[in-house]
Amino acid sequence: MSKFTPLTPQLRSRLPRVGTTIFSTMSALAQAHGAVNLGQGFPDFDGDPALLDAVNAAMRAHHNQYPPMPGVLLLRQAVAAKVAAMYGHSYGVEDEITITAGATQAILTVLLSIVHPGDEVIVLEPCYDSYLPNIELAGGVAVRVPLTPGTFRPDFERLAAAITPRTRAVIINTPHNPSATVWSSQEMQALADTLRGTEVLVLSDEVYEHMVYDGAQHLSVASHPELQARSFIVSSFGKTFHVTGWKIGYVLAPKSLMHEFRKVHQYNVFTVNTPMQYGLAAYLQDPQPYLQLPAFYQRKRDLFRAGLAGSNLRLLPCEGSYFQSVDYRAVARLGDMPGQSACEWLIRELGVAAIPMSAFYSEGDSQTIIRFCFAKRDETLQQALALLQQL
């Protein structure tokens, strides 16, 4: 028997300010209290059986070994055709499209491929919670520019003022999580005007591209030649086809940018599961599933908004995504309670889980706004509405 006590060395954290995410915290609390979970952003219904059958057929057809590092050619061809038809730009299937292990991996890989120590990356807050830790892991410095409070529209004067010689990139997200705003053509042009004459790159998070409502169209940076030339675009099959657990998405970028992206990608995940790629390639031959998605989610949005209309929750606009934000100041039992406290009260006392808007700011926020996810079965939404209508 050794006389020495085993020692586990202490680590100096790469992410010292990161703890358990608000999504995990609220989901665990919701489960403990049996609450209806409208917090975390994923559907509680399955994807199309035809897609599941296509993946199963791919497995039975022996597509179970490593695919090419950039992704299965058939899937890259299907993505190229879809993007060209919707946004008018033809990406090269050989060197401008890469299939990724979901959008979160794609975003991290973009940042690892472009950011050097000390480089600045502009984020527009509130923002998806992975952006800031990803920038930190890449050795960059996050520069936070707030979206306009209340409307969550981009403020281009503040954005322009934040650009310095050290600025490497700006991250944009439309349709936006968490506020559900969708950028206009004027805002896309304003971004191009702001960046003209700089070497600043754009990381465009477009995972909710097929969830835009009331007859509006998603404006991808792929459709704007000046922006396209300096942009990485990230999208998600998981979000589009209700299979978030598959963790599969893609990145689009000009050849020279994609060359650097793939250098990191090949040593990060190397490649993505084969049968799902073949299944998606077959499924994408019919564009109707994603072309019909706006109507599918608009009906759920309208159902949810109509059910909240009689409550004291003030509905914010929902132009896209599958999130609905509300202001709870008029709810007597919540009043000026901080966002996380308000969400904890809703779970414990009412039985419905939401996410506070403050969680999407690096240093919190005083706005009395919370976010619900309506990507749920009608029965789930009706159950939640019956409780929320008491407010």
Side-chain angles (χ1 to χ4, degrees), residues 44-68:
D44 67 348
F45 48 85
D46 286 331
D48 187 347
L51 175 57
L52 308 185
D53 290 344
V55 173
N56 185 57
M59 288 189 283
R60 297 296 181 186
H62 312 295
H63 294 303
N64 299 300
Q65 306 309 324
Y66 289 131

Side-chain angles (χ1 to χ4, degrees), residues 76 94 109 111-112 182 239 323 355-356 364 386:
R76 285 180 280 140
E94 293 295 339
T109 303
L111 292 167
L112 289 173
V182 174
K239 291 288 194 299
F323 301 114
I355 298 292

Side-chain angles (χ1 to χ4, degrees), residues 61-94:
H62 312 295
H63 294 303
N64 299 300
Q65 306 309 324
Y66 289 131
M69 180 270 287
V72 166
L73 179 60
L74 288 172
L75 182 53
R76 285 180 280 140
Q77 290 171 332
V79 169
K82 167 182 170 288
V83 172
M86 296 196 69
Y87 308 129
H89 182 80
S90 295
Y91 282 91
V93 296
E94 293 295 339

Side-chain angles (χ1 to χ4, degrees), residues 23 38-41 177-178 323-325 354-355 360 370-373:
F23 307 101
L38 303 188
Q40 204 160 356
N177 174 22
F323 301 114
Q324 174 64 59
S325 293
I355 298 292
F360 298 89
I370 57 178
R371 187 206 76 178
F372 296 105
C373 173

Side-chain angles (χ1 to χ4, degrees), residues 15 57 62 92-93 105 107 109 112 129 134 137 142 147 157 213 251 254 308 311 318-319 328 346 365 371:
L15 295 171
H62 312 295
V93 296
Q105 179 253 314
I107 291 166
T109 303
L112 289 173
D129 69 335
N134 287 181
L137 285 172
L147 295 166
E157 288 188 4
Y213 310 128
V251 170
L308 290 179
S311 74
C318 176
E319 300 171 344
Y328 59 81
L346 285 173
D365 181 72
R371 187 206 76 178

Side-chain angles (χ1 to χ4, degrees), residues 54 76 134 141 176 192 199 269 341:
R76 285 180 280 140
N134 287 181
V141 177
H176 185 247
E199 294 289 317
V269 295
S341 299

Side-chain angles (χ1 to χ4, degrees), residues 290-312:
Y290 58 82
L291 292 179
Q292 294 171 358
L293 203 61
F296 174 83
Y297 274 123
Q298 182 167 333
R299 188 190 65 78
K300 290 186 177 292
R301 180 202 68 169
D302 293 348
L303 169 68
F304 192 60
R305 287 176 67 88
L308 290 179
S311 74
N312 285 317

Side-chain angles (χ1 to χ4, degrees), residues 12-19 108 130-138:
R12 185 164 64 91
S13 177
R14 293 293 306 277
L15 295 171
R17 292 178 292 278
V18 170
L108 173 60
S130 83
Y131 296 170
L132 297 176
N134 287 181
I135 294 166
E136 190 171 355
L137 285 172

